[in-house]
Every structure is written in structure tokens, then in C-alpha cells.
Amino acid sequence: MRLIFSGHDYRYAVEQSLLAFFPHERPVCGGEDPNRAEVSLRTEGSAALAETRLTVDGRSARGEAQTDLTGVTDDYGRERLKQRAVKLSFFQAARRLTGVTPAWGALTGIRPAKLASELLEGGRSPEEADRVLRDTYFVSAQRRRLCLQCAQAGLEAKRDLKPEEISLYVGIPFCPTRCAYCSFVSNSVEKSFRWVEPYLEALLAEVDSAAQMVRDLGLRVRSFYMGGGTPTTLSAAQLDRLLGRLGERFDLSGVVEYTVEAGRPDTVTADKLEVLRRRGTTRVSVNPQSMEDRVLAAIGRRHSADDIRAAVELVDRFGFPHVNMDLIAGLPEDTPEGFRRTLDEVIGFGTDNITVHTLSLKKGSRITLEGTRIPTEDEVAAMLDYADPALRGAGFAPYYLYRQKYMSGSFENVGWCRPGGTGWYNIYIMEELHTILSLGAGGSTKMVDPARDRIERVFNLKYPQEYVQRPEKIAANQAAFRRFYEGI
């Protein structure tokens, strides 16, 4: 679809709205595509006025929206309100043209709960915030409920944070095999085994320098999370060496949770679990994604549903306080019936934390490259419509959510937990409540200063080989981290 802008250049905002209604269209800013969106913005007094004229397959519609800029003096705040007008005008035009209202209405951002949090912190009651989500953004009743509950969980987490607290993330970018849906920076061990040990040595060096930096700045680690990739791709000895060094260099005595993704069931062994338990891990993830063997085969997993069952039984024997399991709605070869069987069985395992993702069709994934058949939007909707009441009926409540580009049906990812099972790190990172210091290849350090409403990011090198060969990038990132905190 051709995008034509006047009075603004909010390309990303328009693209997000476009994908919600026309997921198979790809935005272009030139050419002669007859499908087009003409989006204009102008300011009159204290109002930002946006208009969208949309033409698709020979049919046209128009949408208008405005936002009030009164009292908003900072550039960032004014830009947000102008973008909001642009998105709402596109939404109105697309809704009139298609007759469709997406589940999330006009909300297109990654963090819908942040809007609800702002409304609640601004003095709105939950009922008033619900009306704003309904009447201004046209969010469905089910998604409004999710949004408000996750916002309230985020505000609870925020109240307990101290200014000097941060979270620590460590990335292990290796997996046994690469899943068909994956676009993360992870490497199959079969192809990159020779880089595992050099990577670990480089990571240990980064642990040493980062820990010294944290001590120098007077910061304290509140939550620890090791992800990937699949951390348990490392051997038991390698895990022990890494977790031992982390415990020696960082003061982790005050962490509220210590999470390690065991992830792939084919990497879960008794000797690795013994290391995790001995080193203080309080939360592990065993992520089946599906309990249907044909689905596991379709996404490139080399384990069966029986292997998942055996891994869960093994984890149970070690007595970890909390266990998370990830599922994905919309995987190749899955059906609503198959997803229901998967969810019912996972609930039956008795874990206290279940994350239900919606398949995101990332550009670098094998699904996208090979054109694999995936469930329709209606089938994915049926999966999620089953998950919500099933999880609530089993004693779970939603506590964090986020959205991604190219998600099936433009839906969401939701973390659910039983009482006491909240994954605090997930809230901290998704609601941007405090700094996440990220170590290892592919990671992103997000520095947050809530008092000044300021967020800065630095990105680690993506691939293990370049991470190992370019330690100067680690030094530059840490210098930026120091400058950020020395300026507070």
C-alpha cells in the first residue's frame, strides 16, 4: 500500500495501524500502487487534527481525529499526542472501509498496559479507564480486562521498587536446533559448537567488568534472568562456572527472583537442574510451545510431547519454587482443538506460571521464508478465546502483556500466574519500570530514569563470533551506562 503523508512523517505509527487491518499489505512510499493511504496532520490552536483518506481495491473511506495539546509543553509529549491523532484517523477510515474492529481497537503499541497505567496514575478509576479504552480506542471487552489487570499488576510492582535497583539479564545465544518461528539471535549448537567456550570466556569477562561498574555506581540487583537462546544448551560444568562467577561478582542476596530458562526439554538433565538449584535458581522455564507431536515436528523441534512430560517430572523432583511454561497460539499444523489439548495438559502439570504467546511472523523466520501453512486469524482467535476463561478457571490471572509486529490477528502475548507466581522481571522490562542491564550477545541494555521520564538504550553485538572478537563494544556500552547514572 502506498503511504502519502502531509504535515508529518509518522511512518511507524501508520504502518502499525496498517498491519492491524491489512496484514498482507506492505507499506511503500513511492510508486503507483492503487491501494493508498493519504494521511495529513495540521495544528489549529491547541488541537492536532489528522485526516486519513484510504483507498483499497477500488473502495474508499475517510477518517478524522483530533487530540488536545493544551498544557503539553515538552516536545515528546506533543509528538505522542500528534501520533495518536494520526493513528486514530487511520483507524476510523479503515474501520469504515472494512467493517472490522480489531480486538485491540485503535491501540497499536507494544505495551497497551502502559496507557491504562497512565490513566490510573492520573487519578482515573478502573471504571473510568475502562471507558476510555472502550470509547476512545474501541478496545474489546476481553482485551480491556486484560489491559487493566496487567496495568494494576505493573503499578503494584512499581510501588515496591527503589531508585538504586536494577535487573540483570544474561543471554546465551545457542539452541540445540533453530525453531521454524524463531528470529532471535540464536545459533544451532550443531553449527556453532566451536564458539560456545570462547563465548563463555568473553561473557565471564563482561560479568567481571559489569559487576564492578554496578558496585561503583551504588546499584543493587533486584531480579536476575538468564535467557537466550536456551541457557541449558550449556553443559552442567559450564552453567556452574557461569552462575558461580555471577554469584561471586554480583551481590544477588537481595533478588526477589532468580530465573533461568531451561526452555527446550531436550536440554533438561538432572545434572544441570542440580546446578541451577544449588546456585539459587527460584524460577525455571520449560517451554513446550505445543504438546502436539505433529506441531513440534513442523516447527523443527527434535523432541516429542513425551519428552516434555519427562522434563516437567524431572523439574518437579528438584523442587523449584516456581515453574513457567510457554505456549504459542497459531503454530504451523496446529488447530484450535490441538491448542486446547495442549493448554489443558499444561494446566494439569500444576505449574504456577503459563505464558501464552501469539505467533509472530518475523521476517527472518523459516516459516516466513518457506511460506509454511499456519492457522487462520479466526483459528488463532478461537485458541485465545479458549485460553482466557480456561486459565482464569484454573486460578490464573494475567500480570503482564505485550504485542509485536506481524502477530497473527494482531493479538497479544500474556503472562498468567497463580497467586504468588508473578514473574517480576517480566513486568519490569515490559512496563519499563527500571533499568535492565543486559550481558551477552544479542542483548539490549535499557537504562531507565523514572524521575526524569528518560529511557536510553545500548545494544550488544548480535552474534557470538563478533561478541567474542570485539570487546571494545562491551567497553563502550558500559561507558554509556556509567554516563547515564552519573548524570542522575
Side-chain angles (χ1 to χ4, degrees), residues 20-21 88 91 100-116 133-134 136-151 358 377 384 388 400-404 407-414:
F21 283 93
L88 284 170
F91 172 82
V100 171
T101 302
W104 281 101
L107 292 184
T108 59
I110 295 171
R111 301 173 177 85
K114 285 197 79 170
L115 173 60
L133 294 173
R134 182 192 67 194
T136 303
Y137 296 98
F138 305 93
V139 180
S140 72
Q142 180 180 334
R143 267 62 190 191
R144 296 199 307 271
R145 187 184 185 193
L146 278 176
C147 194
L148 285 165
Q149 287 184 298
C150 290
T358 302
E377 179 179 327
L384 299 178
D388 189 297
Y400 85 103
L401 71 90
Y402 67 102
R403 303 173 70 205
Q404 296 167 277
M407 295 185 84
S408 294
S410 194
F411 291 119
E412 68 283 325
N413 305 317
V414 183

Side-chain angles (χ1 to χ4, degrees), residues 80-218:
R80 282 183 62 190
L81 290 173
K82 290 178 181 179
Q83 288 188 47
R84 185 176 298 175
V86 165
K87 287 193 284 188
L88 284 170
S89 75
F90 187 100
F91 172 82
Q92 293 287 12
R95 188 170 179 240
R96 287 169 184 151
L97 187 69
T98 64
V100 171
T101 302
W104 281 101
L107 292 184
T108 59
I110 295 171
R111 301 173 177 85
K114 285 197 79 170
L115 173 60
S117 296
E118 290 171 4
L119 292 169
L120 294 172
E121 284 193 297
R124 304 287 186 101
S125 69
E127 293 75 21
E128 290 170 330
D130 181 78
R131 283 196 293 274
V132 171
L133 294 173
R134 182 192 67 194
D135 298 339
T136 303
Y137 296 98
F138 305 93
V139 180
S140 72
Q142 180 180 334
R143 267 62 190 191
R144 296 199 307 271
R145 187 184 185 193
L146 278 176
C147 194
L148 285 165
Q149 287 184 298
C150 290
Q152 288 165 328
L155 292 175
E156 177 188 349
K158 184 177 182 178
R159 282 192 291 269
D160 291 336
L161 290 176
K162 298 179 176 62
E164 70 275 13
E165 291 178 327
I166 66 171
S167 287
L168 178 64
Y169 175 86
V170 175
I172 306 298
F174 301 98
C175 283
T177 58
R178 189 176 178 87
C179 294
Y181 57 80
C182 183
S183 65
F184 285 111
V185 180
S186 60
N187 293 257
S188 164
V189 169
E190 296 169 320
K191 297 181 179 180
S192 57
F193 179 77
R194 67 190 181 92
W195 285 106
V196 174
E197 189 60 32
Y199 176 81
L200 184 58
E201 287 300 320
L203 181 57
L204 291 172
E206 187 182 12
V207 166
D208 291 347
S209 57
Q212 183 63 54
M213 175 182 69
V214 166
R215 287 195 298 273
D216 291 346
L217 295 171

Side-chain angles (χ1 to χ4, degrees), residues 165-396:
E165 291 178 327
I166 66 171
S167 287
L168 178 64
Y169 175 86
V170 175
I172 306 298
F174 301 98
C175 283
T177 58
R178 189 176 178 87
C179 294
Y181 57 80
C182 183
S183 65
F184 285 111
V185 180
S186 60
N187 293 257
S188 164
V189 169
E190 296 169 320
K191 297 181 179 180
S192 57
F193 179 77
R194 67 190 181 92
W195 285 106
V196 174
E197 189 60 32
Y199 176 81
L200 184 58
E201 287 300 320
L203 181 57
L204 291 172
E206 187 182 12
V207 166
D208 291 347
S209 57
Q212 183 63 54
M213 175 182 69
V214 166
R215 287 195 298 273
D216 291 346
L217 295 171
L219 304 175
R220 294 184 61 83
V221 178
R222 182 175 177 86
S223 73
F224 171 81
Y225 194 105
M226 183 182 287
T230 305
T232 44
T233 302
L234 299 179
S235 69
Q238 289 169 331
L239 278 171
D240 196 34
R241 183 159 33 126
L242 176 55
L243 296 181
R245 182 72 68 88
L246 283 159
E248 291 168 5
R249 299 296 190 262
F250 285 94
D251 179 5
L252 302 178
S253 61
V255 298
V256 296
E257 66 181 6
Y258 189 119
T259 301
V260 177
E261 288 187 359
R264 297 278 289 266
D266 45 344
T267 68
V268 177
T269 61
D271 57 345
K272 295 176 187 179
L273 294 177
E274 187 278 327
V275 169
L276 299 186
R277 198 73 179 96
R278 175 164 46 82
R279 291 296 183 182
T281 302
T282 60
R283 190 170 181 263
V284 295
S285 296
V286 180
N287 300 332
Q289 316 304 2
S290 174
M291 296 298 292
E292 300 281 298
D293 282 334
R294 71 179 185 282
V295 177
L296 294 172
I299 64 175
R301 292 289 182 104
R302 291 187 180 174
H303 60 80
S304 67
D306 280 342
D307 295 326
I308 297 167
R309 296 177 186 108
V312 172
E313 182 180 343
L314 187 59
V315 167
D316 283 346
R317 291 213 301 266
F318 279 84
F320 290 94
H322 305 289
V323 179
N324 173 75
M325 300 187 76
D326 280 9
L327 306 178
I328 299 178
L331 288 172
E333 298 301 325
D334 209 356
T335 64
E337 294 75 23
F339 181 82
R340 289 171 195 154
R341 287 192 294 269
T342 288
L343 181 61
D344 289 345
E345 183 168 4
V346 168
I347 290 173
F349 285 141
T351 59
D352 64 352
N353 206 291
I354 296 174
T355 307
V356 179
H357 297 270
T358 302
L359 179 66
S360 180
L361 298 174
K362 296 298 183 65
K363 294 178 183 178
S365 69
R366 203 170 77 239
I367 291 175
T368 302
L369 296 174
E370 297 178 359
T372 307
R373 190 266 170 193
I374 60 173
T376 67
E377 179 179 327
D378 288 344
E379 289 175 315
V380 175
M383 296 174 187
L384 299 178
D385 286 346
Y386 179 80
D388 189 297
L391 286 161
R392 292 182 189 278
F396 289 82

Side-chain angles (χ1 to χ4, degrees), residues 39-60:
V39 189
S40 65
L41 177 69
R42 69 184 192 277
T43 303
E44 290 185 3
S46 61
L49 307 171
E51 178 185 22
T52 295
R53 294 180 182 271
L54 189 62
T55 302
V56 179
D57 298 334
R59 298 172 57 239
S60 297

